[in-house]
Amino acid sequence: MRELKSKYDILKQQIYIIIYGSNTFAGRLFDLILLGVILLSVLLVMLESVEQLDAKYHSFIIISEWIITIFFTIEYFLRIISNKKPLNYIFSFYGIVDFISILPMYLSFIIPGSRMLSVIRALRLLRLFGILNLVHFTGQESQLKLAIKASRTKIIVFVYFVLIVSILLGAIMYVVEGKESGFTSIPVSIYWCIVTLTTVGYGDIAPVTTLGQIIASCIMIMGYGIIAVPTGIVTAEFASAKKNQINNSKKRICPSCTSIVYNEESKFCHLCGQKLSND
Amino acid sequence: MRELKSKYDILKQQIYIIIYGSNTFAGRLFDLILLGVILLSVLLVMLESVEQLDAKYHSFIIISEWIITIFFTIEYFLRIISNKKPLNYIFSFYGIVDFISILPMYLSFIIPGSRMLSVIRALRLLRLFGILNLVHFTGQESQLKLAIKASRTKIIVFVYFVLIVSILLGAIMYVVEGKESGFTSIPVSIYWCIVTLTTVGYGDIAPVTTLGQIIASCIMIMGYGIIAVPTGIVTAEFASAKKNQINNSKKRICPSCTSIVYNEESKFCHLCGQKLSND
Amino acid sequence: MRELKSKYDILKQQIYIIIYGSNTFAGRLFDLILLGVILLSVLLVMLESVEQLDAKYHSFIIISEWIITIFFTIEYFLRIISNKKPLNYIFSFYGIVDFISILPMYLSFIIPGSRMLSVIRALRLLRLFGILNLVHFTGQESQLKLAIKASRTKIIVFVYFVLIVSILLGAIMYVVEGKESGFTSIPVSIYWCIVTLTTVGYGDIAPVTTLGQIIASCIMIMGYGIIAVPTGIVTAEFASAKKNQINNSKKRICPSCTSIVYNEESKFCHLCGQKLSND
Amino acid sequence: MRELKSKYDILKQQIYIIIYGSNTFAGRLFDLILLGVILLSVLLVMLESVEQLDAKYHSFIIISEWIITIFFTIEYFLRIISNKKPLNYIFSFYGIVDFISILPMYLSFIIPGSRMLSVIRALRLLRLFGILNLVHFTGQESQLKLAIKASRTKIIVFVYFVLIVSILLGAIMYVVEGKESGFTSIPVSIYWCIVTLTTVGYGDIAPVTTLGQIIASCIMIMGYGIIAVPTGIVTAEFASAKKNQINNSKKRICPSCTSIVYNEESKFCHLCGQKLSND
């Protein structure tokens, strides 16, 4: 009995290494297969929405989706079983995503059409970062994340400001252009204003009157200057983060004249000639 | 009688703390309610402009707007009464915005349709910055404001230059494309040119002739390079402002002459020659 | 006779001061009036192209344009006469612009319709820079000009590269989409490709086939990264120009330890404590 | 016989100098003519695709293309013959491009219509960089290339992230907007989402429902912030590369140990402690 328990523990550990780890060959292979299956499942949901394809291959797509869902369900339970702290996994970001990924298919028995929601599986593709050891690009201390974090408040203040400007300009354009030009209501005008300020410019709604075109020109030129602000904020943060990273990784202090030595190759202080230790 | 005066003064002060302050619970609550009401009033004006909604809920919207307007009117007078220097408030930015916010509703008796102008209330949403203590983002000395201020003249010169280019290119496109392609007059062509240079590109007017498309391609590629200029200006100012901020945080004060030492490697004060400690 | 000569010389000098200078009251007034007239003349050409306005006010516009042209002609000859080196003026940038500005009206006797070309007068608006003493923004040594100059070659290389990419992608889209979707020829496809890469996106031509939309998506995401390159180049130059400007205006060398002193307020060397002179 | 061999060798060397070199007059002339012919050939392929032109000048275009192809073929063989290591050339980037450039014309005997592929000749235009000695802009160690290389991984991570976001938002818009608004399938919705996020905005597909327009507005404002990220990355790399370049130009070499001294304030070599002179 105890031997069985022990065997089961070993099995659990082996499964853990394969599923969660990516250092062993089996673990790496599992990761790659998983990624392939996720990609396939996202593709299947996408193709199902194309009418001609769905008409032709409906049963094939449905069967494939069920196979994948069962595969994901097994994987989900294996992840819970093999983990020593299953609750940590269940309530982690990936745990929730994994759960939501398999839910829609089972829900489709009760609520027809909810199968479409399984496109949320696309979020599972973020696992690639873990597989490719790209964690240092997205991890807590990464330059990218730090720069985005540092500029977040400024960006929110900026977006709030843009929204207020959009409401005012939207209302003005509604009054100026009127319902004939497509500015049927203030919310639609605000939508148009955001489309213009962000330089997207669909053209589904466009000013027709001369005054409207003059105001629109001003909005566009404003948008020109405005687009520079978030870029400026993010760039300054990136440059600053980059500099800190470089400086911090290198700097030592000379024991004799207490000046700072930035060059990591230095063996002597550049100001007083004192010999430096290299640790 | 004097007691009454004193009681009135205390009431005035209490109102002042609630309306202007945001440190007490009551003041904070008032701010949040005010913000909610402002949001609601902006939403109401927006929804009123949607025909279907207006047809259904016309009287409800009108009554709500009047209730809000009366609430704003009372708030406006309380702000004036409770303030020790009421003129300062009346002619401040927020004072004028508050006044203009309540005006359109009363004017709607005389000029029908002017009620639409009450969308200017959206400007009152800027109060959020005060409430969230985000003043350091928008205050006099903020990094954001300094960077925008420093780049203002350059941006204006740039916009002036872009306008001259737009006039010339607009006229050329008017001659090249002619009235059939939608380039009905030089002002319309200039409008098209600004739409193109700012990369908005509605497509309501688009070149049809080969020569027109070649010129348009050149304008677009020019716009590519041109959009880099304001971004470059603002970013350089941001980076510079950020650096100043960092330098300021590194600064020490000389114990002898109390002047500021920015250089972290300095061993002697640059103004009085006093030896500096390095901690 | 000699007195007459002398009087004429004095007149010439006075005219020179009024026309070319902007330090005296008369000179400043002349500059402002000239700018106003230029603006008016550009507006007139623009309004003439609007059919409704031209139909109504045709003779008024024509007469105004002739008055302005005669005014410009007189100004042009006064500039030549009053200048000591008239050829320098005639072949300078502004001299050529001034000449071309008056030409189209006189040419309209010979070639009808050439009057439209007088929109080139918009270039005369560049004089504003001189009037507002903004020369340091556009002058030889300005930060703006240096940054643009330094990044010019890189921008040209970049644009050349973008053009080659556009030709290739345009040809691919022509083959993929075919004539039904609006990709009627390779040049048109190249035009579409530039419209897309620069994120203008008129939508007059848009891919319809699935493969075409996939390729278009790739082009757009590429354009996303590509637009960052000119911005990056210009910004780096701006930041560098800004830094040089700051550093150069401040740096001195300590006579005792020969280290560089950047702080312009320093009275003592920050490294050896040597007293510094302040010139 | 041996003399003939020797004469042939001299001829080979002369051809090599003309074709590959650009220091002699003949070599420079050949380069310019080649560039002109390449431009001409690209133009011809482009013009052939324009129906009206093709109808009029079909035989002229065909004959010209054959002449150019034969010229390119001769050039290709001369490049192989005159080169001492022909295989190096054949499998180099330019060797492959040169081969592919002549292939489509000969293939057009077997596969009709493949002639269109000869637009790939546009890649040969990259030779201009070599001719204008712009290699330092595109060469291995260029600032441009280093900055792009350093930011490559971050850009890829960023694009991958954008794609996942596009899939999710595309699926949401498909559910919200439905088939009537043009969002006919999830892939089409994803295409729309990329069009919007990159601020291209064709307008061939645009949201019609209120909820769809609200979501679209959020996507656009997101795109606003998102476009700042690649710009920020590339700019920071450019600024960093530029700084390195400047630092390199300030570097001195220690006369004792020949190591590089970057710090311009250094008085002692940081590696061997040798005293440094400051000129």
Side-chain angles (χ1 to χ4, degrees):
Chain A
M1 195 64 194
R2 206 174 140 193
E3 208 170 88
L4 202 76
K5 184 82 204 301
S6 163
K7 256 186 182 168
Y8 174 70
D9 276 350
I10 288 164
L11 188 72
K12 250 177 69 177
Q13 208 178 338
Q14 277 175 338
I15 291 170
Y16 182 85
I17 288 165
I18 292 171
I19 291 188
Y20 284 95
S22 58
N23 301 320
T24 60
F25 175 75
R28 227 165 162 63
L29 192 70
F30 175 80
D31 281 346
L32 286 176
I33 290 170
L34 183 62
L35 204 72
V37 175
I38 295 170
L39 255 176
L40 200 78
S41 77
V42 171
L43 263 175
L44 277 173
V45 180
M46 276 164 60
L47 295 179
E48 198 194 338
S49 74
V50 183
E51 238 165 46
Q52 303 105 294
L53 291 173
D54 191 43
K56 253 191 184 164
Y57 306 106
H58 187 72
S59 44
F60 170 76
I61 289 173
I62 294 291
I63 291 166
S64 310
E65 277 188 14
W66 271 112
I67 292 170
I68 287 167
T69 305
I70 289 160
F71 174 80
F72 282 172
T73 313
I74 294 168
E75 184 222 341
Y76 182 64
F77 283 110
L78 283 180
R79 274 185 194 273
I80 292 174
I81 291 164
S82 70
N83 204 320
K84 274 169 197 165
K85 294 174 177 171
L87 286 177
N88 274 14
Y89 164 69
I90 291 171
F91 294 106
S92 72
F93 172 72
Y94 283 123
I96 293 164
V97 167
D98 289 355
F99 181 67
I100 297 175
S101 296
I102 52 176
L103 208 62
M105 283 303 278
Y106 295 110
L107 274 178
S108 69
F109 285 121
I110 310 164
I111 313 156
S114 66
R115 218 171 48 236
M116 232 73 216
L117 295 170
S118 50
V119 82
I120 206 141
R121 283 167 187 172
L123 277 178
R124 298 199 70 190
L125 289 170
L126 290 172
R127 280 186 189 281
L128 182 70
F129 293 125
I131 296 168
L132 291 183
N133 279 327
L134 285 171
V135 186
H136 54 284
F137 278 110
T138 52
Q140 198 59 42
E141 294 303 312
S142 77
Q143 197 183 318
L144 202 71
K145 222 169 190 170
L146 278 177
I148 288 168
K149 209 174 174 183
S151 43
R152 205 179 39 189
T153 331
K154 276 179 217 146
I155 295 275
I156 290 171
V157 169
F158 174 74
V159 165
Y160 185 74
F161 188 77
V162 167
L163 279 180
I164 292 175
V165 169
S166 297
I167 292 172
L168 288 173
L169 291 172
I172 290 168
M173 286 302 282
Y174 170 68
V175 172
V176 168
E177 282 286 328
K179 314 218 165 184
E180 293 78 31
S181 323
F183 293 79
T184 50
S185 67
I186 292 182
V188 167
S189 288
I190 293 169
Y191 162 72
W192 169 85
C193 196
I194 292 171
V195 167
T196 301
L197 266 179
T198 53
T199 76
V200 171
Y202 286 130
D204 51 346
I205 310 164
V208 174
T209 65
T210 307
L211 186 59
Q213 291 184 339
I214 290 171
I215 296 171
S217 299
C218 295
I219 295 175
M220 280 173 237
I221 287 171
M222 240 178 68
Y224 223 55
I226 282 178
I227 213 165
V229 175
T231 312
I233 293 168
V234 174
T235 306
E237 294 297 338
F238 263 115
S240 169
K242 198 172 173 61
K243 215 178 195 170
N244 280 343
Q245 208 187 32
I246 292 167
N247 286 348
N248 287 342
S249 68
K250 287 178 177 178
K251 111 186 172 189
R252 281 173 300 164
I253 287 167
C254 169
S256 158
C257 69
T258 68
S259 68
I260 297 162
V261 179
Y262 289 104
N263 192 330
E264 56 181 331
E265 292 178 36
S266 294
K267 282 187 219 125
F268 293 91
C269 174
H270 62 290
L271 285 174
C272 64
Q274 163 78 23
K275 208 170 188 322
L276 297 169
S277 62
N278 240 337
D279 41 272
Chain B
M1 194 67 194
R2 208 175 139 191
E3 207 170 88
L4 202 77
K5 183 83 206 296
S6 164
K7 258 188 179 165
Y8 175 71
D9 275 351
I10 288 165
L11 189 72
K12 252 177 68 176
Q13 210 180 335
Q14 276 174 339
I15 291 170
Y16 182 86
I17 289 166
I18 291 171
I19 292 188
Y20 285 95
S22 58
N23 300 321
T24 61
F25 176 74
R28 230 169 160 60
L29 192 71
F30 176 80
D31 281 347
L32 287 175
I33 290 170
L34 182 62
L35 205 73
V37 175
I38 295 170
L39 257 176
L40 200 78
S41 76
V42 172
L43 264 174
L44 277 174
V45 180
M46 277 164 59
L47 296 179
E48 197 194 339
S49 74
V50 184
E51 238 165 46
Q52 303 107 291
L53 290 174
D54 191 42
K56 254 192 184 163
Y57 306 107
H58 187 71
S59 43
F60 170 76
I61 289 174
I62 293 291
I63 291 166
S64 309
E65 277 190 12
W66 271 112
I67 292 171
I68 287 167
T69 304
I70 288 162
F71 174 80
F72 282 173
T73 312
I74 293 168
E75 184 222 342
Y76 182 63
F77 282 111
L78 284 180
R79 274 186 194 272
I80 292 175
I81 290 164
S82 70
N83 204 317
K84 276 170 199 165
K85 294 174 178 172
L87 287 177
N88 275 15
Y89 164 68
I90 291 171
F91 294 107
S92 71
F93 173 72
Y94 283 124
I96 293 164
V97 166
D98 289 357
F99 181 67
I100 298 174
S101 296
I102 52 176
L103 208 62
M105 283 303 278
Y106 295 110
L107 274 179
S108 69
F109 285 121
I110 311 164
I111 313 155
S114 66
R115 220 171 47 235
M116 231 74 218
L117 295 170
S118 49
V119 82
I120 206 142
R121 285 168 186 171
L123 277 178
R124 298 199 71 192
L125 289 171
L126 289 172
R127 279 187 190 280
L128 182 70
F129 293 126
I131 297 169
L132 292 182
N133 279 327
L134 285 171
V135 187
H136 55 285
F137 277 111
T138 53
Q140 199 58 43
E141 294 302 313
S142 77
Q143 197 182 320
L144 202 72
K145 220 167 191 170
L146 278 176
I148 289 169
K149 209 173 172 180
S151 42
R152 205 179 39 188
T153 330
K154 276 179 217 146
I155 295 275
I156 290 171
V157 169
F158 174 73
V159 165
Y160 185 75
F161 188 77
V162 166
L163 279 180
I164 293 175
V165 169
S166 296
I167 291 172
L168 289 174
L169 292 172
I172 290 168
M173 286 303 283
Y174 170 68
V175 171
V176 167
E177 282 286 327
K179 314 219 165 185
E180 292 79 32
S181 323
F183 294 79
T184 50
S185 67
I186 292 182
V188 167
S189 289
I190 292 168
Y191 162 73
W192 170 85
C193 196
I194 292 171
V195 168
T196 302
L197 266 179
T198 54
T199 76
V200 171
Y202 287 130
D204 51 345
I205 309 163
V208 174
T209 65
T210 308
L211 186 58
Q213 292 184 339
I214 290 170
I215 296 171
S217 300
C218 295
I219 294 175
M220 281 173 239
I221 287 171
M222 240 177 68
Y224 222 55
I226 282 179
I227 213 165
V229 175
T231 312
I233 293 169
V234 174
T235 306
E237 294 297 339
F238 264 115
S240 170
K242 201 175 172 55
K243 218 180 195 169
N244 282 344
Q245 208 187 32
I246 291 168
N247 284 349
N248 285 345
S249 70
K250 279 184 188 163
K251 72 190 180 190
R252 286 172 296 167
I253 287 167
C254 168
S256 158
C257 70
T258 68
S259 68
I260 297 161
V261 179
Y262 290 103
N263 192 329
E264 56 179 330
E265 294 183 36
S266 294
K267 278 180 243 139
F268 293 92
C269 173
H270 61 288
L271 284 173
C272 64
Q274 163 78 23
K275 207 168 189 321
L276 296 169
S277 63
N278 239 337
D279 42 272
Chain C
M1 194 66 195
R2 208 176 140 189
E3 207 171 88
L4 202 76
K5 184 81 204 297
S6 164
K7 256 186 182 168
Y8 174 70
D9 275 352
I10 288 165
L11 189 72
K12 252 177 69 178
Q13 209 179 336
Q14 276 175 338
I15 291 170
Y16 183 85
I17 288 166
I18 291 171
I19 292 188
Y20 284 95
S22 57
N23 299 322
T24 62
F25 176 76
R28 233 171 156 60
L29 192 71
F30 176 80
D31 281 349
L32 287 175
I33 290 169
L34 183 62
L35 205 74
V37 175
I38 296 169
L39 256 175
L40 200 77
S41 76
V42 172
L43 265 174
L44 277 173
V45 180
M46 276 164 61
L47 295 179
E48 197 193 340
S49 74
V50 183
E51 239 166 44
Q52 302 108 292
L53 291 173
D54 192 41
K56 255 191 183 162
Y57 306 106
H58 186 71
S59 43
F60 170 76
I61 290 173
I62 293 292
I63 292 167
S64 309
E65 277 189 12
W66 271 111
I67 292 170
I68 288 167
T69 305
I70 289 162
F71 174 81
F72 282 172
T73 312
I74 294 169
E75 184 222 341
Y76 182 64
F77 282 111
L78 284 180
R79 275 185 194 273
I80 292 174
I81 291 165
S82 71
N83 204 319
K84 276 169 197 166
K85 294 174 177 173
L87 287 176
N88 275 14
Y89 165 68
I90 291 170
F91 294 107
S92 71
F93 173 71
Y94 284 124
I96 293 164
V97 166
D98 289 356
F99 181 67
I100 298 174
S101 295
I102 52 175
L103 209 62
M105 284 302 279
Y106 296 110
L107 275 177
S108 69
F109 286 121
I110 311 164
I111 313 154
S114 66
R115 220 171 49 235
M116 231 73 216
L117 294 170
S118 48
V119 82
I120 206 142
R121 284 168 186 170
L123 276 177
R124 298 199 70 191
L125 289 170
L126 289 171
R127 278 186 191 281
L128 182 69
F129 294 125
I131 296 170
L132 292 182
N133 279 326
L134 286 170
V135 186
H136 55 283
F137 278 111
T138 52
Q140 199 57 43
E141 293 304 313
S142 77
Q143 198 181 319
L144 203 72
K145 220 166 191 170
L146 278 176
I148 289 168
K149 208 174 174 182
S151 42
R152 205 178 40 190
T153 330
K154 276 179 217 146
I155 295 276
I156 290 170
V157 169
F158 174 73
V159 165
Y160 185 74
F161 188 77
V162 166
L163 279 179
I164 293 175
V165 169
S166 296
I167 292 172
L168 289 173
L169 291 172
I172 291 168
M173 285 304 283
Y174 170 69
V175 172
V176 167
E177 281 287 327
K179 315 220 166 185
E180 292 79 31
S181 323
F183 294 79
T184 49
S185 67
I186 292 182
V188 167
S189 290
I190 292 168
Y191 161 73
W192 170 85
C193 195
I194 292 171
V195 168
T196 302
L197 266 179
T198 54
T199 76
V200 171
Y202 287 131
D204 52 344
I205 309 162
V208 174
T209 64
T210 307
L211 186 58
Q213 292 183 339
I214 291 170
I215 296 171
S217 299
C218 295
I219 294 175
M220 281 174 240
I221 287 171
M222 239 177 69
Y224 223 55
I226 281 179
I227 213 166
V229 175
T231 312
I233 293 168
V234 174
T235 305
E237 293 298 340
F238 264 115
S240 170
K242 198 171 174 59
K243 215 178 194 170
N244 280 345
Q245 208 186 30
I246 292 168
N247 286 348
N248 287 343
S249 67
K250 287 177 177 176
K251 115 184 169 189
R252 281 175 298 166
I253 288 166
C254 169
S256 159
C257 70
T258 68
S259 67
I260 295 162
V261 179
Y262 289 103
N263 192 331
E264 52 181 333
E265 292 178 36
S266 295
K267 286 189 219 123
F268 294 91
C269 174
H270 62 290
L271 285 173
C272 65
Q274 164 77 23
K275 203 165 190 328
L276 297 171
S277 64
N278 239 338
D279 41 272
Chain D
M1 195 65 195
R2 205 174 141 190
E3 207 170 89
L4 202 75
K5 183 82 202 303
S6 163
K7 257 186 180 168
Y8 174 70
D9 276 350
I10 289 165
L11 188 71
K12 250 177 69 176
Q13 207 177 339
Q14 277 175 337
I15 291 170
Y16 183 86
I17 288 166
I18 291 171
I19 291 188
Y20 285 94
S22 58
N23 301 320
T24 62
F25 174 76
R28 231 169 158 62
L29 192 72
F30 175 81
D31 281 348
L32 286 175
I33 290 170
L34 182 62
L35 205 73
V37 175
I38 295 170
L39 255 174
L40 201 77
S41 76
V42 171
L43 263 174
L44 277 173
V45 181
M46 275 164 61
L47 295 178
E48 198 194 340
S49 74
V50 183
E51 238 165 46
Q52 302 107 293
L53 291 173
D54 191 43
K56 253 190 182 164
Y57 305 107
H58 187 72
S59 42
F60 170 76
I61 289 173
I62 294 292
I63 291 166
S64 309
E65 277 189 14
W66 271 111
I67 293 171
I68 287 167
T69 306
I70 289 161
F71 174 81
F72 282 171
T73 314
I74 294 169
E75 184 223 341
Y76 182 65
F77 283 112
L78 284 179
R79 275 184 194 274
I80 293 174
I81 291 164
S82 70
N83 205 319
K84 275 168 196 166
K85 293 172 177 173
L87 285 178
N88 275 14
Y89 164 69
I90 291 170
F91 294 107
S92 72
F93 172 72
Y94 284 123
I96 293 163
V97 167
D98 289 355
F99 180 67
I100 298 174
S101 296
I102 53 176
L103 208 63
M105 282 303 278
Y106 295 110
L107 275 178
S108 69
F109 285 120
I110 312 163
I111 313 154
S114 67
R115 220 170 48 234
M116 231 74 217
L117 294 170
S118 48
V119 83
I120 205 141
R121 283 166 186 172
L123 276 178
R124 298 199 70 191
L125 289 170
L126 290 172
R127 278 187 190 280
L128 182 69
F129 294 125
I131 297 168
L132 292 183
N133 279 326
L134 286 171
V135 186
H136 54 283
F137 278 110
T138 53
Q140 198 59 43
E141 293 303 313
S142 78
Q143 197 183 318
L144 203 72
K145 220 168 191 168
L146 278 176
I148 289 168
K149 208 174 175 182
S151 43
R152 206 178 39 191
T153 331
K154 276 179 217 148
I155 296 276
I156 290 170
V157 168
F158 173 74
V159 165
Y160 185 74
F161 188 77
V162 166
L163 279 180
I164 292 174
V165 168
S166 296
I167 292 172
L168 288 174
L169 291 173
I172 289 168
M173 285 303 282
Y174 169 70
V175 171
V176 167
E177 281 286 328
K179 315 218 165 184
E180 291 79 31
S181 323
F183 294 79
T184 49
S185 67
I186 291 182
V188 167
S189 289
I190 292 168
Y191 162 72
W192 170 85
C193 196
I194 291 171
V195 168
T196 301
L197 265 179
T198 54
T199 76
V200 171
Y202 287 131
D204 51 345
I205 310 163
V208 174
T209 64
T210 307
L211 186 59
Q213 292 183 339
I214 291 170
I215 296 171
S217 299
C218 295
I219 294 175
M220 281 174 238
I221 287 171
M222 240 178 69
Y224 223 55
I226 281 178
I227 213 166
V229 175
T231 311
I233 293 168
V234 174
T235 305
E237 294 298 341
F238 264 114
S240 169
K242 199 171 174 57
K243 217 176 192 173
N244 282 344
Q245 210 187 30
I246 291 168
N247 285 348
N248 285 347
S249 70
K250 281 185 187 162
K251 72 191 181 191
R252 285 172 295 167
I253 287 166
C254 169
S256 159
C257 71
T258 69
S259 70
I260 296 162
V261 178
Y262 290 102
N263 192 330
E264 53 179 332
E265 294 182 34
S266 294
K267 279 179 246 141
F268 294 92
C269 174
H270 61 287
L271 284 174
C272 65
Q274 162 78 24
K275 205 166 189 326
L276 297 170
S277 64
N278 237 338
D279 41 271

